[in-house]
Amino acid sequence: MPRNDDVRFTSSSLKIPLNPPKPSPFNFPFGSHIAKTRNSVAQLVDSVKTRPEFKQFNFSRFWNRLAESTHFAFPSRDRRTASSIGRSSLLCSASLSLTRSAESAQSEDKKNERLLFIPKSALLCSASLALTRAADESSSSSQKGLNPSRGDEERVLISEVLVRNKDGEELERKDLEMEALQALKASRDNSALTVREVQEDVHRIIYSGYFQSCIPVAMDTRDGIRLVFQVEPNQEFQGLVCDGANVLPAKFLEDAFRDGYGKVINLRRLDEAITSINNWYSERGFFALVSDVEIFSGGILRLQVSEAEVNNISIRFLDRKTGEPTTGKTKPETILRQLTTKKGQVYSILQAKRDVDTVLTMGIMEDVSIIPQPAGVTLENKIASKESHMVAAAFGQTLQEYHYEMGCAWYDTGKVDMVMNVVERPNGGFSAGGGISSGITSGPLSGLIGSFAYSHRNVFGRSQKLNISLERGQIDSIFRINYTDPWIEGDDKRTSRTIMVQNSRTPGTLVHGDQPAGRSLTIGRVTAGIEFSQPIRPKWSGTSGLFFQHAGVYDENGFPVIKDHLSSPLTASGKIHDDMLLAKFESVYTGSGDHGSSMFAVSMEQGLPVLSEWLSFNRVNARARKGVEIGPARLLLSLSGGHVVGNFPPHEAFAIGGTNSVRGYEEGDVGSGRSYAVGSGEMSFPMLGPVEGVFFADYGTDLGSGPTVPGDPAGARLKPGSGYGYGFGIRVDSPLGPLRLEYAFNDKHAKRFHFGVGHRN
């Protein structure tokens, strides 16, 4: 078939489309703003850009037939373009662009041209074809009074539509031929087509994802014009190489490409696989993405993954009032050792958030935030304030915009610097308060306790805490000194250490009841010891300690006594005081930490008879709690129990009954024994604002162990040993903590109000 030498290209251009991935839940949209990181995908379609067939794009017969029946007139700029290239009866301008849909739309609107947009592909091209003609031809057409606006709408009859390879021969794989034919919409045998419709079908074939290139060629046959789409299929996928993926699981990568092995590479499926990898990173908060894609001969696919490595971590102290950088009192290493993010790791915003929470739980910081920035970039003139949303304002932009820029900037260096902004709390001071003692149930001030304390949260700038407190009530008094190092220096297990000295006096009514003639007994204890605590695994912690205790019973005048008015012994040794050295072990599961969440704790105390007069006994105690949401209501189930073996003071027996045990009874009135078990169920429901209602039922028993306590104080006071209570109440969330007001009935048909501050033990 003779060529039409009047057909030429005025332009041939390629760009790669980079649709943004789905927005990250952490506001790091890596897609549109960092399009350059995926431009290397152009290698997948480089053959389209360089193929000689494009320079031989032959639409000659099609254009000639179209020219014979149509005259064209174009705006002056088109005529100038045509005339500047040369005299031609018909000049074809073809351009291929790989820009995103929205960008292309805006550009084409400016040019008053129509363009078909194929969305949701980052690896596919779209083609636009336009016809121009030389100035003399345009002028001639204008003299004939033809309407220029109808040029692109003229149709040419196509007798046959075929799909062939780049050499014009049948495709070896018929399934690929069918894919191309099924992609066609307008181009059918015995159809009348416009240039635009042919162009759109070229787009559809390319958008199928199976082909590197598609060239429409029109040729004359004796049956009419035959339209041939010459395509070049992609290679078959035979292997995968992935570089730079340090945290991406190999199995996830294999699963993403498993279905493609041995099949022709589909660029759409490849784009979906790349998107799934990028989504895996963004869902886990990692600064990472697929930055480069190549296909080597033999169908080997190479992915280059860029993961932002933590380059440096620094602490910056901000003033509480102005937000300006200042000098902190906390040593930076005290904060840095709390962070799980380390230099050389892949930066994760989720891990950074956990680090922020960890630093806040130290109790010495008022506010903590982490600002990631590309390695080597300083923030000297960019003030990060106390609140995270104000961090963005300090940069003169929204937080999302800042994260957006971060997504682009870290890729230039491949590394991220972490700047942790911290605002310190006041180190400490004096405080006063009050509370309720559960040991006193009668009297004009019924258990009211006043307290006075001094605390320092950050001794020596190492987050070490000193607390000195005094609590004084009608009978109760507790003087306590605690010194806590939350992380022993040089220890890699996050072990804390607490040194404690305490002198307390508590009512003896829990076990021994009220004394006659207005007399009362108090239990005096002097305790000193050291305790170590360490996280065992997530949500589990372990504690061990060694304490010395000197305890005795005193009358209302402060004189020591060894027997009550029933001649029951008050000490285990028969002396004025009992001395004991206690080794303590405890393990606690805390769930989410909320009161309604699951909790389990088990503890053991062992008396060590280092001296013959020191007591030897073993005490085990366990508590469990489980919360269940039932619509707007919440069911809270709790169970506790314990047992003591050996020689122990009677006042150390397990007391049952009262506000934190079996409601409906006074404190300790159910029983006191070597063993005990108490179960409770509460159904709470919201009422109004901070107020919620509650129904409850409790049951407690000493498991028949009351008579085994030295002197049998429960039996001497006719305590039943077991009992239950039930009732209703309200909870009020207050600045002092939850306030509990409850009205309870017991199995003895008695009624009683209970008032408490804080959650039940």
Side-chain angles (χ1 to χ4, degrees), residues 328-366:
K329 298 179 180 179
T330 306
K331 296 184 180 298
E333 58 268 22
T334 301
I335 302 174
L336 290 174
R337 69 182 182 179
Q338 300 286 336
L339 308 184
T340 58
T341 301
K342 303 297 181 183
K343 185 176 180 179
Q345 292 181 347
V346 177
Y347 179 78
S348 167
I349 193 172
L350 284 181
Q351 189 175 7
K353 183 179 182 300
R354 289 192 293 268
D355 287 338
V356 167
D357 294 339
T358 300
V359 174
L360 285 172
T361 57
M362 294 170 65
I364 61 175
M365 300 300 169
E366 184 174 291

Side-chain angles (χ1 to χ4, degrees), residues 5-23:
D5 295 331
D6 293 333
V7 178
R8 302 181 184 179
F9 287 94
T10 58
S11 65
S12 179
S13 62
L14 282 171
K15 297 179 182 178
I16 295 297
L18 292 172
N19 290 336
K22 295 180 179 179

Side-chain angles (χ1 to χ4, degrees), residues 315-329 364-369 383-387 390 420-426:
I315 306 298
R316 187 170 63 167
F317 296 91
L318 302 179
D319 186 85
R320 296 179 64 245
K321 297 180 179 179
T322 66
E324 297 285 346
T326 186
T327 301
K329 298 179 180 179
I364 61 175
M365 300 300 169
E366 184 174 291
D367 189 74
V368 180
S369 62
I383 302 172
S385 63
K386 295 179 291 183
E387 300 293 334
M390 295 179 65
M420 174 170 278
N421 294 321
V422 296
V423 179
E424 292 179 304
R425 291 180 183 273

Side-chain angles (χ1 to χ4, degrees), residues 519-587:
R519 299 175 60 190
S520 62
L521 296 178
T522 58
I523 314 300
R525 299 179 179 89
V526 177
T527 306
I530 186 170
E531 184 177 80
F532 298 90
S533 182
Q534 183 182 108
I536 302 175
R537 53 184 303 177
K539 300 183 180 181
W540 282 92
S541 63
T543 301
S544 62
L546 189 64
F547 300 90
F548 177 80
Q549 181 171 294
H550 177 77
V553 182
Y554 301 84
D555 62 17
E556 68 277 6
N557 297 317
F559 295 108
V561 292
I562 59 175
K563 289 186 179 182
D564 64 10
H565 71 287
L566 298 176
S567 298
S568 297
L570 297 176
T571 61
S573 62
K575 299 179 181 179
I576 295 176
H577 298 97
D578 288 323
D579 294 327
M580 60 198 82
L581 182 65
L582 301 175
K584 178 183 177 181
F585 304 93
E586 183 178 35
S587 181

Side-chain angles (χ1 to χ4, degrees), residues 436-498:
I436 299 293
S437 169
S438 62
I440 301 178
T441 58
S442 62
L445 298 178
S446 188
L448 183 64
I449 296 176
S451 64
F452 181 80
Y454 170 80
S455 64
H456 197 294
R457 300 184 182 93
N458 197 10
V459 181
F460 307 127
R462 297 185 178 275
S463 188
Q464 298 173 359
K465 297 172 176 59
L466 173 65
N467 289 281
I468 303 174
S469 64
L470 172 64
E471 297 178 1
R472 190 73 173 89
Q474 188 176 357
I475 295 178
D476 301 61
S477 68
I478 301 176
F479 177 75
R480 181 187 297 116
I481 300 176
N482 279 4
Y483 183 80
T484 300
D485 184 351
W487 192 337
I488 300 174
E489 186 174 0
D491 177 75
D492 60 351
K493 302 296 185 181
R494 304 176 70 92
T495 304
S496 67
R497 175 180 56 210
T498 298

Side-chain angles (χ1 to χ4, degrees), residues 11-273:
S11 65
S12 179
S13 62
L14 282 171
K15 297 179 182 178
I16 295 297
L18 292 172
N19 290 336
K22 295 180 179 179
S24 165
F26 314 104
N27 296 325
F28 286 89
F30 293 120
S32 59
H33 200 69
I34 52 173
K36 60 181 181 179
T37 63
R38 298 256 307 265
N39 281 347
S40 59
V41 180
Q43 298 175 34
L44 294 177
V45 287
D46 274 346
S47 58
V48 178
K49 184 187 293 187
T50 58
R51 290 192 56 79
E53 285 83 349
F54 270 118
K55 298 180 180 179
Q56 301 172 5
F57 194 126
N58 192 345
F59 243 133
S60 57
R61 289 296 182 183
F62 187 28
W63 304 143
N64 285 340
R65 287 291 186 93
L66 194 58
E68 290 173 2
S69 59
T70 311
H71 297 276
F72 296 87
F74 291 87
S76 59
R77 60 176 182 177
D78 293 330
R79 292 199 298 271
R80 287 196 302 270
T81 302
S83 61
S84 65
I85 295 176
R87 297 177 62 83
S88 173
S89 59
L90 184 61
L91 183 64
C92 170
S93 168
S95 66
L96 288 90
S97 66
L98 290 174
T99 57
R100 227 173 321 161
S101 300
E103 296 171 354
S104 300
Q106 184 177 3
S107 176
E108 294 303 320
D109 286 342
K110 293 179 180 180
K111 296 180 181 180
N112 296 318
E113 297 177 353
R114 295 172 54 213
L115 179 63
L116 173 69
F117 302 119
I118 309 295
K120 298 181 181 178
S121 175
L123 304 177
L124 308 178
C125 71
S126 61
S128 63
L129 303 175
L131 296 178
T132 63
R133 85 186 259 115
D136 56 345
E137 295 293 333
S138 176
S139 176
S140 174
S141 299
S142 297
Q143 292 175 3
K144 294 179 182 180
L146 298 178
N147 186 351
S149 65
R150 299 178 63 248
D152 284 345
E153 300 302 323
E154 295 298 331
R155 297 182 176 275
V156 175
L157 182 62
I158 301 297
S159 63
E160 188 178 13
V161 177
L162 299 175
V163 175
R164 294 291 183 262
N165 63 18
K166 61 182 180 179
D167 299 320
E169 301 173 352
E170 290 189 9
L171 296 180
E172 294 182 2
R173 296 189 53 163
K174 294 301 180 182
D175 57 333
L176 294 180
E177 181 178 338
M178 290 303 299
E179 290 286 349
L181 288 173
Q182 291 175 2
L184 300 177
K185 180 178 180 181
S187 301
R188 293 288 186 267
D189 293 349
N190 301 317
S191 59
L193 305 176
T194 64
V195 174
R196 179 63 59 186
E197 289 172 337
V198 175
Q199 166 194 322
E200 291 172 354
D201 277 343
V202 170
H203 294 173
R204 293 186 179 96
I205 291 176
I206 293 296
Y207 184 62
S208 71
Y210 290 100
F211 306 99
Q212 298 182 37
S213 64
C214 177
I215 303 174
V217 177
M219 58 184 66
D220 258 340
T221 68
R222 65 181 183 180
D223 296 326
I225 295 178
R226 175 185 297 162
L227 180 59
V228 179
F229 292 93
Q230 294 184 352
V231 297
E232 183 176 1
N234 296 323
Q235 301 181 65
E236 289 186 358
F237 183 34
Q238 298 297 334
L240 175 67
V241 176
C242 185
D243 296 331
N246 297 314
V247 297
L248 184 69
K251 187 178 186 305
F252 180 88
L253 195 62
E254 293 172 2
D255 292 343
F257 290 90
R258 186 184 307 278
D259 294 339
Y261 282 105
K263 300 178 182 178
V264 172
I265 295 174
N266 186 297
L267 301 187
R268 293 178 62 187
R269 303 293 180 270
L270 177 58
D271 184 61
E272 292 172 359

Side-chain angles (χ1 to χ4, degrees), residues 560-684:
V561 292
I562 59 175
K563 289 186 179 182
D564 64 10
H565 71 287
L566 298 176
S567 298
S568 297
L570 297 176
T571 61
S573 62
K575 299 179 181 179
I576 295 176
H577 298 97
D578 288 323
D579 294 327
M580 60 198 82
L581 182 65
L582 301 175
K584 178 183 177 181
F585 304 93
E586 183 178 35
S587 181
V588 179
Y589 172 83
T590 56
S592 65
D594 297 332
H595 176 65
S597 66
S598 299
M599 184 277 293
F600 176 75
V602 58
S603 64
M604 183 185 72
E605 293 178 340
Q606 175 65 53
L608 305 176
V610 177
L611 300 180
S612 59
E613 62 268 22
W614 289 3
L615 302 185
S616 174
F617 65 93
N618 180 274
R619 175 165 47 200
V620 178
N621 200 3
R623 308 185 311 277
R625 182 182 66 221
K626 176 67 175 179
V628 180
E629 299 290 338
I630 305 176
R634 181 179 61 202
L635 176 63
L636 185 64
L637 303 174
S638 61
L639 179 66
S640 60
H643 182 65
V644 182
V645 176
N647 187 24
F648 70 102
H651 56 77
E652 294 289 350
F654 296 111
I656 309 167
T659 302
N660 291 314
S661 181
V662 179
R663 284 161 285 191
Y665 283 90
E666 291 192 14
E667 305 296 326
D669 269 10
V670 173
S672 51
R674 284 181 178 266
S675 306
Y676 88 104
V678 172
S680 176
E682 292 187 350
M683 178 70 76
S684 60

